[in-house]
Amino acid sequence: MILYDDVIAELKKGDLAMNENQFNSLLTLIVPQIIELITQNSNIAEAAAIDKFYSSRLYSELSDESSKLWHYSPRLLYTLFQDELLTGTYDYPEEA
């Protein structure tokens, strides 16, 4: 069985090409984890968390495969989302 982390590692190396359906499937794995982090760490209901996240600049960029934001973990993406809420912007972290 191929693990999520293994697939991400292969995609980062460029060994696998991703089509639109695969990318959308990847988003369906990432986004719920971010929503869960928002609801766990904020005093808002899940529906409100979903609305806030889907209307964010971060989600707009995450949903564009060419941004490569999907390379980052849901926890890091959550941190970027928090930065956006607090400051109106965020910086792309450098990859190790």
Side-chain angles (χ1 to χ4, degrees), residues 6 8-9 11 13 17-19 21 24 30 34-35 41 43 48 53 55 61 67 73 80 86-87 89 91:
D6 295 335
I8 295 297
L11 288 168
K13 290 191 307 188
M18 186 174 353
N19 66 38
N21 287 337
N24 288 333
I30 296 170
I34 299 168
I35 300 298
N41 297 302
N43 192 18
F53 186 68
S55 62
E61 291 185 12
S67 75
S73 71
L80 296 177
L86 293 172
T87 67
T89 190
D91 295 320

Side-chain angles (χ1 to χ4, degrees), residues 20-86:
E20 186 175 347
N21 287 337
Q22 291 167 321
F23 178 67
N24 288 333
S25 295
L26 186 61
L27 283 181
T28 64
L29 295 173
I30 296 170
V31 170
Q33 294 178 62
I34 299 168
I35 300 298
E36 183 177 350
L37 288 166
I38 295 168
T39 58
Q40 286 175 350
N41 297 302
S42 304
N43 192 18
I44 61 173
E46 183 176 25
I50 290 168
D51 287 342
K52 277 187 176 252
F53 186 68
Y54 279 108
S55 62
S56 70
R57 178 181 142 221
L58 179 69
Y59 177 74
S60 178
E61 291 185 12
L62 176 62
S63 63
D64 177 3
E65 191 275 336
S66 67
S67 75
K68 304 299 184 204
L69 280 173
W70 53 267
H71 280 196
Y72 301 118
S73 71
R75 180 156 298 282
L76 179 57
L77 292 168
Y78 165 74
T79 301
L80 296 177
F81 174 72
Q82 290 300 318
D83 289 348
E84 179 181 349
L85 287 180
L86 293 172

